[in-house]
Amino acid sequence: MSTAIPNAAAAPSHVRGERVFHLSPSRSLDGRIRVPGDKSMSHRSIMFGAIASGVTEVAGFLEGEDSLHTLNAFRAMGVAIERGGPGQVRIQGRGAAALVPPTDDVYLGNSGTGMRLLTGLYAGLGVPVTLTGDASLSGRPMARIVDPLTRMGARIDTAAAGRPPLSIRAAVPLRGIEYTCPMASAQVKSAVLLAGLHATGTTTVHEPAVTRDHTERMLQGFGVEVRVDGLSASLEGGQALQATSLRVPGDISSAAFFLVGGCLSPDGAALVIEGVGMNPTRTGVIDILRLMGGRIEVRNERAQGGEPVADLHVCGGGLHGIEVPPELVSLAIDEFPALFVAAAGAAGRTVVTGAEELRVKETDRIEVMVQGLSALGATITGTADGAHIEGGRLAGGQADACGDHRTAMAFSMAALIADGPISVLDVDNVATSFPGYAALAAGVGLDIRESAPGAGASA
Ligand code: S3P
């Protein structure tokens, strides 16, 4: 049974970040860049390497705060993990049985992926541990994983209303279940499958829509048999992972800001983003921007560690509004903050529906984007599951990212459609997924400076 922790402290309130992006109107993005490694794959590479037998070498690992919290979680369980040059990680796995329960609570910062996937893994292993996070993570719904894991026999205590912290109690071996997931969520699918790795019998997850399949692909790379049939994935419990080596591609969710900025560039763009992950469960942003008239070419397609990769070439040329096809939403779920900015600069009206999951991300992304874009001069109305956005030029002004990395970077690209300067407040969490963002963006022509508390502004 899952129970609420009786004396759990109330969720902490968000401590506002002091970093600010300062932007001036910009007209073009040009150059060749690489974006940091895929966040979803970086988390999974550590988790799977840590429970595998043998040495796993990872290249292209995202050295962002979120994935580093996952790395530290396994160091706290006795796994030797060395960091080499940029993006190089070496994990000395000794099998799941060698994990030592952590002596302290495990803090996962801002990371929903870290918390949800680790809960599934630890529940399956019966590791007694309490997982905590920052104010944003402490407000996010966890019943979506606690419910199916409890049905498998796990015992997980939560704070009120199923929120973190989550305390996993050692339980008898879990039993596999067949689970129909009520929402399109790769994190829920993954939590259940990872619990199923150490459960008895078969674990099957049915999804309502396609979500990212990195767990299924990467587990196969570690030698686990995962059966995928349409919207269903299943595996047998008791399979051991064998170490492997993998190269994490650039994160399409990070590339998305540049795709949008390039498409919106009034003087045209000549931007190449090299080595971007092109897993078909993640490429909705390209499809949506192309439907809006965006000129994006996919070149030099190749396979890398079980995942497709390509170089993306973006020319400007402007966008027009569309009704975003609901079947593309789960394939672009993290890209909607950027797509809202694309819509704010597109000719005509864009309608987003079927995107209610945006309300339970690091922030309520519908609300934060509606507030911020309105403050910059856009005409935008939020709905329960999306928004109506009238495109045009923006005046500029001050947008509050509310501590959300993706809204912060999205608002910065509004400099390409604004007539006046823009400040984006509370951008400290950009480092969770995209360390070095402002410098990289400045290097391709976005007029951006970042000011830090007690320091001057820098590009
Ligand atoms: C992720 C799944 C998505 C996404 C998140 C990363 C993952 O969340 O928003 O940034 O790595 O599995 P949901 O599964 O909750 O939609």
Side-chain angles (χ1 to χ4, degrees):
M1 269 295 288
S2 144
T3 47
I5 301 171
N7 293 321
S13 53
H14 172 59
V15 178
R16 290 186 60 76
E18 292 181 313
R19 287 178 181 270
V20 177
F21 287 156
H22 304 274
L23 296 122
S24 296
S26 307
R27 298 204 56 89
S28 177
L29 298 186
D30 295 290
R32 293 183 85 87
I33 53 170
R34 279 184 178 267
V35 294
D38 188 275
K39 182 156 73 71
S40 294
M41 291 182 64
S42 294
H43 280 293
R44 287 159 172 84
S45 69
I46 298 290
M47 293 177 192
F48 301 170
I51 62 168
S53 298
V55 175
T56 290
E57 308 258 10
V58 184
F61 177 76
L62 167 65
E63 293 174 328
E65 290 170 4
D66 276 13
S67 36
L68 289 173
H69 282 304
T70 291
L71 187 153
N72 288 331
F74 284 98
R75 279 187 172 159
M77 298 180 75
V79 182
I81 307 178
E82 295 151 35
R83 292 174 64 190
Q88 303 285 335
V89 177
R90 191 166 193 271
I91 308 157
Q92 287 185 326
R94 290 185 292 124
L99 295 180
V100 181
T103 45
D104 291 321
D105 293 356
V106 170
Y107 177 72
L108 296 166
N110 196 241
S111 179
T113 308
M115 184 166 283
R116 294 197 177 111
L117 271 59
L118 285 179
T119 301
L121 191 61
Y122 291 166
L125 289 168
V127 174
V129 59
T130 296
L131 303 179
T132 65
D134 69 6
S136 157
L137 185 53
S138 300
R140 294 182 69 183
M142 295 295 151
R144 53 180 58 200
I145 55 161
V146 172
D147 290 349
L149 295 174
T150 301
R151 280 177 49 190
M152 297 175 81
R155 294 165 67 208
I156 303 170
D157 297 334
T158 72
R163 310 284 179 202
L166 301 183
S167 287
I168 300 155
R169 292 191 269 158
V172 287
L174 305 190
R175 50 189 176 275
I177 55 167
E178 181 166 357
Y179 186 62
T180 300
C181 194
M183 70 288 291
S185 168
Q187 294 180 354
V188 176
K189 171 177 64 176
S190 301
V192 174
L193 289 175
L194 293 182
L197 265 184
H198 299 100
T200 56
T202 310
T203 296
T204 302
V205 181
H206 305 293
E207 299 191 90
V210 179
T211 66
R212 66 193 66 195
D213 64 358
H214 302 299
T215 295
E216 299 90 305
R217 284 177 187 247
M218 205 184 283
L219 279 178
Q220 287 165 343
F222 278 85
V224 174
E225 194 191 324
V226 184
R227 290 182 302 280
V228 178
D229 182 10
L231 291 174
S232 304
S234 55
L235 52 74
E236 299 299 320
Q239 301 187 65
L241 279 68
Q242 295 304 321
T244 186
S245 289
L246 57 121
R247 169 170 286 279
V248 177
D251 196 330
I252 192 168
S253 298
S254 296
F257 305 105
F258 293 96
L259 296 178
V260 166
C263 289
L264 291 175
S265 290
D267 290 347
L271 185 64
V272 183
I273 314 165
E274 296 174 351
V276 179
M278 289 292 287
N279 180 311
T281 62
R282 298 284 300 280
T283 48
V285 64
I286 297 177
D287 298 331
I288 294 168
L289 286 172
R290 281 178 169 165
L291 287 172
M292 297 175 81
R295 284 158 53 205
I296 299 171
E297 283 178 30
V298 177
R299 293 198 202 153
N300 193 14
E301 287 181 79
R302 61 244 189 222
Q304 193 176 286
E307 297 268 352
V309 174
D311 301 334
L312 303 181
H313 293 238
V314 197
C315 315
L319 299 174
H320 56 79
I322 58 166
E323 290 192 10
V324 176
E327 65 274 17
L328 292 179
V329 167
S330 64
L331 309 180
I333 192 66
D334 288 345
E335 287 65 79
F336 277 92
L339 287 168
F340 276 34
V341 173
R349 162 179 271 222
T350 294
V351 178
V352 177
T353 54
E356 60 279 357
E357 279 293 303
L358 294 177
R359 294 205 178 270
V360 290
K361 296 295 180 188
E362 285 83 332
T363 55
D364 175 341
R365 287 184 173 159
I366 295 176
E367 189 58 26
V368 172
M369 292 310 297
V370 167
Q371 293 299 329
L373 284 173
S374 301
L376 298 180
T379 303
I380 172 169
T381 312
T383 61
D385 66 345
H388 298 183
I389 306 155
E390 306 294 340
R393 295 224 25 112
L394 301 180
Q398 191 169 285
D400 191 342
C402 297
D404 185 326
H405 56 136
R406 298 205 195 279
T407 59
M409 291 182 273
F411 287 135
S412 75
M413 287 296 168
L416 289 149
I417 51 169
D419 295 323
I422 291 177
S423 309
V424 187
L425 309 183
D426 199 354
V427 305
D428 301 47
N429 277 335
V430 165
T432 60
S433 68
F434 204 147
Y437 169 73
L440 194 69
V444 292
L446 192 71
D447 191 335
I448 181 170
R449 291 170 303 114
E450 181 174 353
S451 65
S458 63

